[in-house]
Amino acid sequence: MFNEIFIAPFADMIAAPDFLLQVLWEGLVSGILYALIALGFVLIFRSSRIFNFAQGIMVVFAALTLVGLHAMGVPAWICVLLTLGVMFVLAVVIERVVLRPLVGQPDIILFMATIGITLFLIGFGEVIFGGENKVMITEELGIPTGSVLLEPFGGLLILEQKDITAVVVAALLVVALLVFLNYTRMGRAIRALGDDSQAALSVGISIQTIWVLVWFIAGIIALVTGIAWGARAGVSFALEVIAYKALPVLMLGGLESIAGAIIGGLMIGLLEKLFEIYWGQPLLGGNTETWFAFVLALIVLLFRPQGLFGEKIIERV
């Protein structure tokens, strides 16, 4: 029993290193997409202390809007621009109709408001786009759909070109976000509001403007993630379930750490794929990817409640 659980999987990794690389690649792609979704949560929480439960459905809504506009005969890249416009309008409406009246309310009230936004977008999306699965317009957007074949260690490694594109675009988006937050006036204002909201407001930073901006950036992240996940699994409301995999990423990385979201996403993606292939399928019958991330996050929280990269909070009595 000990050999089957602990020794045999590592022996399999050594015996078939090309297959191990394939598993690691699949985990890397998933991890980067998890990290992207988590970044939407982190950005909004850092600037407003609101845990945005609606980030998952925003991924679905953005992807459905893109596909729905294209089904109406709109050219693909015009669809992207129009979808960005829809996400901006959504950010403005959320700030003015939902968040602005709740300024100063307890955090739980704002959290419940984001649950309300989630339910509204689910119903609104189903009325407009229907509930059936749709195909992402990858070819129309110029996203390659072929495969790249490599032969490491005398074996075969298959890299889907759409996954390579997703990794490159996600990396560029993360770099752009870091540059924006660290080197632009509005980015510094977002960070200032998250660090000390009272001090930020006292120097004239508009909380309403910042909220619209961060929700719009979260919408951009949702669109990129929706395109990437939609290219892999189709576009439907089932994507919302995948998006919630960002929750254990946040538990690992901490709610306020951008680096934590990135590293946590990569950890979840890689470890859940390795566990599924080498331990889950042979010993547990598979399907461990649905719960592995949450169990891992729970174990981490038992020893470090603020997450691996979150700041430890010390309250003096």
Side-chain angles (χ1 to χ4, degrees):
M1 178 63 72
F2 179 83
N3 288 338
E4 291 181 0
I5 296 177
F6 295 103
I7 305 300
F10 292 103
D12 292 339
M13 294 179 192
I14 296 173
D18 57 317
F19 182 69
L20 173 61
L21 287 177
Q22 185 72 57
V23 174
L24 291 175
W25 168 252
E26 294 293 332
L28 175 67
V29 175
S30 297
I32 287 177
L33 296 180
Y34 293 156
L36 264 187
I37 304 172
L39 281 175
F41 285 96
V42 170
L43 187 63
I44 290 177
F45 186 83
R46 284 190 62 175
S47 63
S48 60
R49 290 297 183 267
I50 298 173
F51 184 84
N52 179 25
F53 191 79
Q55 186 66 28
I57 193 60
M58 286 172 64
V59 172
V60 179
F61 190 79
L64 285 174
T65 301
L66 177 67
V67 174
L69 288 171
H70 188 264
M72 297 168 59
V74 182
W77 284 103
I78 301 298
C79 291
V80 173
L81 296 177
L82 290 176
T83 303
L84 290 175
V86 169
M87 301 311 290
F88 178 75
V89 171
L90 180 63
V92 173
V93 171
I94 288 174
E95 189 279 322
R96 297 207 171 183
V97 177
V98 180
L99 302 181
R100 187 178 297 187
L102 297 177
V103 171
Q105 295 297 317
D107 293 344
I108 187 63
I109 300 297
L110 293 168
F111 172 67
M112 294 299 293
T114 65
I115 295 179
I117 294 170
T118 300
L119 297 176
F120 171 79
L121 289 178
I122 290 174
F124 188 60
E126 287 182 343
V127 169
I128 296 178
F129 305 110
E132 67 277 3
N133 190 62
K134 298 174 177 59
V135 178
M136 177 53 65
I137 52 173
T138 51
E139 294 183 0
E140 292 84 348
L141 291 174
I143 300 174
T145 55
S147 301
V148 175
L149 304 181
L150 302 177
E151 297 182 2
F153 305 107
L156 183 64
L157 176 62
I158 303 174
L159 307 181
E160 296 289 338
Q161 289 183 318
K162 60 187 177 184
D163 290 341
I164 297 175
T165 303
V167 169
V168 172
V169 172
L172 293 175
L173 183 60
V174 169
V175 171
L177 180 60
L178 292 174
V179 170
F180 171 77
L181 290 175
N182 289 285
Y183 299 103
T184 68
R185 185 168 176 267
M186 292 304 296
R188 288 192 292 267
I190 292 173
R191 292 170 55 206
L193 192 63
D195 293 337
D196 191 332
S197 60
Q198 294 301 321
L201 294 174
S202 67
V203 297
I205 295 177
S206 170
I207 187 173
Q208 288 81 15
T209 301
I210 296 300
W211 280 6
V212 170
L213 180 61
V214 295
W215 279 80
F216 177 53
I217 295 174
I220 296 174
I221 294 173
L223 175 59
V224 173
T225 310
I227 292 173
W229 273 117
R232 304 182 87 203
V235 182
S236 70
F237 286 93
L239 283 180
E240 184 185 7
V241 177
I242 298 175
Y244 288 142
K245 194 66 70 70
L247 297 179
V249 173
L250 294 171
M251 296 176 196
L252 284 178
L255 277 170
E256 300 185 21
S257 173
I258 291 177
I262 297 170
I263 297 174
L266 294 176
M267 285 179 59
I268 292 292
L270 291 169
L271 292 177
E272 75 172 9
K273 185 62 68 174
L274 286 170
F275 187 84
E276 167 73 17
I277 298 300
Y278 291 101
W279 284 273
Q281 291 181 1
L283 302 176
L284 302 174
N287 203 33
T288 61
E289 288 182 277
T290 59
W291 54 262
F292 174 81
F294 296 93
V295 173
L296 177 63
L298 177 61
I299 294 173
V300 171
L301 290 178
L302 290 176
F303 299 96
R304 190 172 173 83
Q306 70 273 24
L308 296 177
F309 300 91
E311 295 182 2
K312 189 172 183 179
I313 299 175
I314 301 175
E315 296 184 357
R316 301 186 183 277
V317 180

